Amino acid sequence: MYTFDSRVRYSECDSDSKLTLTGIVNYLQDCSVAQSDDLGVGIDYLVGHHYGWVVNYWQIDIARRPRLSETITVGTSPYKMAGFFGMRNFAIDAADGERLVTANSVWTLMDIEHYVPTKLPEDMASRYELFPKFDMEYTNRKIRLTEDAEREPAGNVTVTPFDLDSNHHLNNSRYIDWALSAMKAVDSGFDENNIKRLRVEYRHQVLLGQTLELTCCREEGAYTIEMTNEEGDVCCVLQACS
């Protein structure tokens, strides 16, 4: 597994002095970027070849959120590359080896000029060593609500330049920020400390200036946020489970 060590910073923590859920996602994303950079197929390579990795799905299982100033090891291991898909596991461990976070993810390599999936070139694929899949529960990457699920309005958000990533679309962690804020808006008793699993399904790209309408569904043990664009397309579905 590719790893790097870090110390949880004050700027990454919430009011309980714990690493935020968005902070966890950022560490995982940064780890995959760092590995690709070290292998010579990082952001500069991707931009130069008009490629971009786009995340389709996160499943993040949280045993314990790291605390302020805690030393952590963040790791990633690709386990499958086929066609234009890449699959990765991630982990965050405490200094004593305690497994704090375990994650699965699905990515698509895109031709950024035409914004269509493109087959992973052999030169890029050969740089990555594949590892066995983690021994963990793998959930369905499609997040579905029951037909009679009641949805309630949870506000609107508009994409600003500060929300964009290197592919010039909405950074995947910003969806999570907005969804968690929406959960708190519809339920003042919502507490991130109770979240043990976070699932995020990304369906459509979101660009600068677009507005998303958020709706929330509260079911036993889970909050689900749907983000819909002005054309009525569901762009992202996020589910937080206790």
Side-chain angles (χ1 to χ4, degrees):
M1 182 188 296
Y2 176 90
T3 64
F4 70 82
D5 294 332
S6 187
R7 188 180 183 190
V8 178
R9 301 165 180 83
Y10 181 79
S11 59
E12 300 168 332
C13 292
D14 61 12
S15 58
D16 294 323
S17 296
K18 294 179 181 179
L19 181 63
T20 64
L21 293 173
T22 303
I24 289 174
V25 174
N26 285 335
Y27 266 114
L28 303 185
Q29 182 172 237
D30 289 347
C31 189
S32 63
V33 171
Q35 182 192 33
S36 296
D37 277 339
D38 287 354
L39 294 175
V41 287
I43 297 299
D44 289 343
Y45 173 94
L46 294 171
V47 170
H49 290 78
H50 308 292
Y51 294 145
W53 282 109
V54 176
V55 64
N56 304 125
Y57 178 69
W58 283 114
Q59 175 197 333
I60 302 171
D61 293 345
I62 303 160
R64 176 174 70 80
R65 284 195 290 150
R67 295 191 59 82
L68 172 64
S69 296
E70 185 171 1
T71 298
I72 57 175
T73 298
V74 187
T76 186
S77 56
Y79 63 84
K80 184 177 181 180
M81 291 188 173
F84 43 76
F85 285 113
M87 289 78 162
R88 282 181 176 272
N89 286 133
F90 292 87
I92 299 178
D93 294 338
D96 63 1
E98 177 191 2
R99 179 60 49 91
L100 307 178
V101 175
T102 306
N104 181 48
S105 62
V106 179
W107 304 73
T108 297
L109 185 67
M110 302 292 291
D111 174 339
I112 295 301
E113 282 193 320
H114 303 96
Y115 213 79
V116 293
T118 186
K119 185 177 180 180
L120 191 70
E122 181 57 33
D123 175 61
M124 185 188 297
S126 64
R127 311 282 183 103
Y128 294 98
E129 179 183 359
L130 299 183
F131 293 84
K133 291 174 67 173
F134 281 9
D135 182 13
M136 61 180 287
E137 179 186 4
Y138 288 84
T139 57
N140 192 319
R141 57 179 286 199
K142 299 296 183 183
I143 303 175
R144 305 296 187 195
L145 293 174
T146 57
E147 290 186 5
D148 58 350
E150 293 187 8
R151 296 166 171 81
E152 54 189 308
N156 298 317
V157 288
T158 300
V159 181
T160 74
F162 303 103
D163 300 316
L164 303 180
D165 62 15
S166 60
N167 296 325
H168 305 291
H169 65 201
L170 181 59
N171 191 300
N172 77 87
S173 65
R174 294 298 288 141
Y175 292 90
I176 297 170
D177 272 335
W178 292 342
L180 293 172
S181 294
M183 292 174 193
K184 293 175 183 177
V186 300
D187 184 356
S188 60
F190 174 80
D191 186 353
E192 286 188 28
N193 288 304
N194 296 329
I195 296 177
K196 298 303 180 185
R197 171 171 289 168
L198 190 67
R199 299 170 63 211
V200 191
E201 179 193 353
Y202 302 94
R203 299 183 184 178
H204 296 281
Q205 67 169 330
V206 178
L207 304 175
L208 178 65
Q210 288 188 296
T211 296
L212 297 176
E213 179 182 356
L214 279 60
T215 58
C216 180
C217 175
R218 286 183 278 179
E219 298 175 301
E220 185 175 358
Y223 294 78
T224 303
I225 296 288
E226 290 183 333
M227 302 187 182
T228 305
N229 64 20
E230 293 154 306
E231 288 73 43
D233 301 314
V234 177
C235 297
C236 178
V237 186
L238 182 147
Q239 187 175 76
C241 304
S242 57

